[in-house]
Amino acid sequence: MKRELAIVVVVVVSATFISPAIAQQHAATLAPPNTAQAARLRASASPRTVSPLYTRRDTWYEFLLKQFNPDDFDYGTWLEQRRQAFLDASLRSTYFHYSAAVTMALFVLALLYAKQRIDHRRSMWITAEMMTDLYNHDAYSRQFAREAIQKYNDHIERCNRAVETGEHG
């Protein structure tokens, strides 16, 4: 499979480089020196004469390109004209600079707002954690105080019973 693909690639590449050279040789030997002379020869020929026997044929890639662009339209010039019109309407316009500056300012403001919001959320999260820690410490302290008070009350209760028992007998 790879060997067949390599053969096809070699044939296409060689045909690409060889066919223009052959076409140029045929054109140099068969065609008149320039197109103006060829046009005069065609115009001066009598209507009874047939077309020349040897005409230059297009190469395979010229034929293929004519299928896509039959009118021989120059897309490069058209694209350059459109590019210049775009540059005139955008980069060279003062309104474009104003709009770009305003857009950038709004973008920076949006970024600053997002940062402020993130920082505020972070500080609120830290505050909530601190408040949770304080609440847990308060709950633990209250529970420990209740247990200490309960122990003290139990001790005092026993002491009072001992004193009452000693008084009664």
Side-chain angles (χ1 to χ4, degrees), residues 131-146:
M131 290 176 70
T132 303
D133 289 342
L134 286 173
Y135 175 77
N136 289 339
H137 182 68
D138 181 55
Y140 175 74
S141 298
R142 288 179 187 268
Q143 181 64 31
F144 190 75
R146 279 191 205 105

Side-chain angles (χ1 to χ4, degrees), residues 64-129:
L64 185 67
L65 289 176
K66 282 185 182 176
Q67 300 300 315
F68 293 110
N69 189 7
D71 298 329
D72 197 26
F73 184 75
D74 188 6
Y75 287 102
T77 305
W78 176 79
L79 189 62
E80 182 61 26
Q81 289 171 352
R82 298 305 304 152
R83 189 180 74 83
Q84 287 299 325
F86 174 73
L87 288 175
D88 289 338
S90 62
L91 291 177
R92 295 182 185 133
S93 172
T94 55
Y95 297 116
F96 175 79
H97 294 293
Y98 170 75
S99 298
V102 169
T103 302
M104 290 305 294
L106 288 174
F107 183 70
V108 168
L109 284 174
L111 287 176
L112 289 175
Y113 177 74
K115 184 181 178 339
Q116 288 292 326
R117 183 171 170 86
I118 289 169
D119 288 346
H120 179 69
R121 288 181 69 198
R122 188 176 295 142
S123 66
M124 293 316 265
W125 188 261
I126 291 170
T127 304
E129 287 177 350

